[in-house]
Amino acid sequence: MEIKVVRKVLDVNDTIAEQTRGMLKEKGLFLINMMGSPGAGKTSVLEKILGAINKEFRAGVVVGDIATTWDSDRLSQTGVPVVQINTEPFGGDCHLTANVVKEGLNQLDLSRLDLVIVENVGNLVCPAEFDIGQDSRAVVLSVTEGEDKPIKYPLVFRISNTALVNKIDLIPHLDVELKSFSQNIRAINPDMKIFEVSSKTGQGLDKWVKWLKDQVKAKKG
Amino acid sequence: MEIKVVRKVLDVNDTIAEQTRGMLKEKGLFLINMMGSPGAGKTSVLEKILGAINKEFRAGVVVGDIATTWDSDRLSQTGVPVVQINTEPFGGDCHLTANVVKEGLNQLDLSRLDLVIVENVGNLVCPAEFDIGQDSRAVVLSVTEGEDKPIKYPLVFRISNTALVNKIDLIPHLDVELKSFSQNIRAINPDMKIFEVSSKTGQGLDKWVKWLKDQVKAKKG
């Protein structure tokens, strides 16, 4: 007797994610899925780097929030096209699904872009469970959240390719050592590329921007 | 024609929550549901206050995490009975359900307790959607998360009775005014009792402890 475990919601999501992945491949467009807790500094990082990226490539942003257009208002000031998705009308979803991201992408003129950055809903758990068709996943972790978070919330660290350990400017005011974040991240994911950064001062972000540009170049071929 | 919207999962949860509420009422036991982002400082707040509470009342703690027993290890050192719930074996649930809390309560000797504090999974979205049978809900928000969070994640602020604006010791190092947190919380929930606190220095926590003790007294009758 064969037992089939049908996980319908995730199956449908994965099918749409694969369609998005195929479409992006055809266009040579790179998509990165940025995740992290509320207030980890995802929007602040993007505010700091979009200008530098735009000197070489054309970026678009899809930003997910439960409510408000505050993040897209902030990011629009960098001059890049931004689409805001609010999940509140859809039951206040705690993550972006592949379908919702697809609709966001449809609102961008993709033929004029080289990369799309998706800023996911602030949440260290649920967004990690949903493939949105990305080429790469990044997790942003603020040092103010504590060095134990990679161990306590392992999935997002296990599946991400890069980690931004953010707000390192606050380290002198916290009872924690900076290196303990990398140690705990590597305990979950030995292959993680880790960038210690400050979205306030900009420190360290140039290295992540360089990494990101290399991915965009490779995808364009 | 009558259209019935059946929300089975939430219906089952609410039924169990009501059973828990009835059981707690019978025993004169107060239950508070503490929620907040990863790293907002829920465990640190409890470490600071459990000693003070235990001088007058007998507290127990149920702590939820995706993985690890780190939080319960920390809290056990205060001398109170602690039950750790890991949601990883249950699909890595991003919140505690009424059923899981009920099982946690079963592991405590409730006849010897006056109050139970449930530290929910670190998440500003999902825990707010699940009634666990609590008398009161508290949300912990770290000032490092940014003053916009009550507006962007409104549900947990709408349904909570008290808010702890935590880590106020870091305000001098952030580009944000302390009062903006209260303003944004009140915009969502004008009735919220707000406590500005530091889980590092202990500042302001005595006021929340007093409030908590008053609730426990009232419940005991």
Side-chain angles (χ1 to χ4, degrees):
Chain A
M1 200 180 123
E2 195 186 353
I3 300 176
K4 284 191 183 175
V5 180
V6 182
R7 303 175 68 202
K8 270 199 182 169
V9 174
L10 283 174
D11 280 356
V12 169
N13 187 78
D14 287 356
T15 302
I16 299 172
E18 279 309 317
Q19 290 167 354
T20 296
R21 199 166 275 119
M23 180 272 290
L24 293 170
K25 190 176 178 184
E26 207 174 280
K27 293 187 191 297
L29 194 61
F30 184 78
L31 191 148
I32 188 161
N33 180 2
M34 278 182 84
M35 299 173 284
S37 300
K42 298 178 290 302
T43 312
S44 302
V45 164
L46 292 183
E47 282 182 313
K48 271 278 192 288
I49 67 162
L50 285 172
I53 287 177
N54 259 16
K55 282 180 191 157
E56 199 167 344
F57 294 112
R58 299 160 301 175
V61 175
V62 175
V63 56
D65 275 303
I66 308 284
T68 81
T69 58
W70 291 15
D71 281 2
S72 57
D73 293 345
R74 284 169 62 185
L75 293 173
S76 293
Q77 294 178 21
T78 63
V80 306
V82 180
V83 175
Q84 174 84 50
I85 295 169
N86 280 157
T87 66
E88 198 165 43
F90 307 100
D93 260 1
C94 53
H95 58 271
L96 294 179
T97 59
N99 195 41
V100 159
V101 169
K102 185 183 163 190
E103 288 182 26
L105 293 174
N106 284 341
Q107 292 177 50
L108 290 168
D109 183 356
L110 297 180
S111 65
R112 304 186 61 170
L113 297 179
D114 303 306
L115 77 152
V116 175
I117 302 172
V118 176
E119 183 188 331
N120 221 308
V121 178
N123 188 321
L124 209 51
V125 186
C126 319
E129 295 167 6
F130 288 80
D131 185 356
I132 59 167
Q134 71 281 315
D135 293 282
S136 192
R137 289 181 172 99
V139 56
V140 183
L141 174 67
S142 164
V143 293
T144 57
E145 295 175 52
E147 79 289 1
D148 55 349
K149 296 305 167 294
I151 312 288
K152 289 172 62 184
Y153 301 84
L155 181 61
V156 71
F157 292 92
R158 198 171 290 137
I159 63 169
S160 290
N161 310 94
T162 58
L164 305 186
V165 177
N166 192 21
K167 307 195 192 183
I168 59 173
D169 54 288
L170 290 173
I171 280 286
H173 313 293
L174 304 172
D175 298 325
V176 64
E177 278 193 88
L178 182 55
K179 67 178 179 189
S180 58
F181 290 89
S182 297
Q183 283 166 354
N184 286 340
I185 291 172
R186 290 241 160 77
I188 297 296
N189 181 353
D191 299 326
M192 184 83 89
K193 288 179 189 67
I194 301 174
F195 301 84
E196 296 172 343
V197 304
S198 165
S199 55
K200 185 176 179 181
T201 68
Q203 192 187 338
L205 281 172
D206 54 328
K207 292 193 183 71
W208 191 59
V209 168
K210 185 185 176 311
W211 175 85
L212 199 52
K213 285 182 175 178
D214 286 345
Q215 311 309 307
V216 177
K217 267 177 225 161
K219 186 81 185 276
K220 285 178 78 80
Chain B
M1 201 181 121
E2 195 186 351
I3 300 175
K4 284 191 183 176
V5 179
V6 182
R7 304 175 66 202
K8 270 197 180 169
V9 173
L10 284 173
D11 280 356
V12 169
N13 187 77
D14 286 355
T15 302
I16 299 172
E18 278 310 316
Q19 289 168 357
T20 296
R21 198 166 276 119
M23 180 272 289
L24 294 169
K25 190 176 178 184
E26 208 173 277
K27 293 188 191 297
L29 194 62
F30 184 79
L31 192 148
I32 188 162
N33 181 2
M34 278 181 83
M35 300 172 283
S37 300
K42 297 178 291 301
T43 312
S44 303
V45 164
L46 292 181
E47 282 182 313
K48 271 277 191 292
I49 67 162
L50 284 172
I53 287 177
N54 259 16
K55 283 180 189 157
E56 197 166 344
F57 295 111
R58 300 160 301 174
V61 176
V62 175
V63 55
D65 275 304
I66 308 284
T68 82
T69 58
W70 291 13
D71 281 0
S72 58
D73 294 345
R74 283 170 63 185
L75 293 173
S76 292
Q77 294 178 21
T78 63
V80 305
V82 180
V83 175
Q84 173 84 50
I85 295 170
N86 279 157
T87 66
E88 197 165 44
F90 307 100
D93 260 1
C94 52
H95 58 272
L96 295 179
T97 59
N99 195 41
V100 159
V101 169
K102 186 183 164 191
E103 289 181 26
L105 293 173
N106 284 342
Q107 294 177 49
L108 290 167
D109 183 357
L110 297 180
S111 65
R112 305 186 62 172
L113 297 180
D114 302 306
L115 76 153
V116 175
I117 302 172
V118 176
E119 183 189 330
N120 220 309
V121 178
N123 188 321
L124 208 50
V125 186
C126 319
E129 295 168 5
F130 288 80
D131 185 358
I132 58 167
Q134 70 280 315
D135 293 283
S136 192
R137 289 183 173 100
V139 56
V140 184
L141 174 67
S142 163
V143 293
T144 58
E145 295 175 52
E147 79 289 359
D148 54 348
K149 294 307 166 294
I151 312 287
K152 288 172 61 182
Y153 301 84
L155 181 61
V156 70
F157 292 91
R158 197 171 291 137
I159 63 169
S160 290
N161 310 95
T162 58
L164 304 186
V165 177
N166 192 22
K167 308 196 191 180
I168 58 173
D169 54 287
L170 291 174
I171 280 286
H173 313 293
L174 304 172
D175 298 325
V176 64
E177 278 194 89
L178 181 54
K179 67 178 179 187
S180 59
F181 291 88
S182 298
Q183 283 166 353
N184 286 340
I185 291 171
R186 291 241 161 77
I188 297 296
N189 181 351
D191 299 327
M192 183 83 89
K193 289 178 189 65
I194 301 173
F195 300 85
E196 296 172 343
V197 305
S198 165
S199 54
K200 185 176 180 182
T201 68
Q203 191 186 339
L205 282 171
D206 53 329
K207 294 193 182 74
W208 190 60
V209 168
K210 186 185 176 311
W211 175 86
L212 198 53
K213 285 181 174 176
D214 287 345
Q215 311 310 305
V216 176
K217 269 178 224 160
K219 186 82 185 273
K220 286 176 80 78

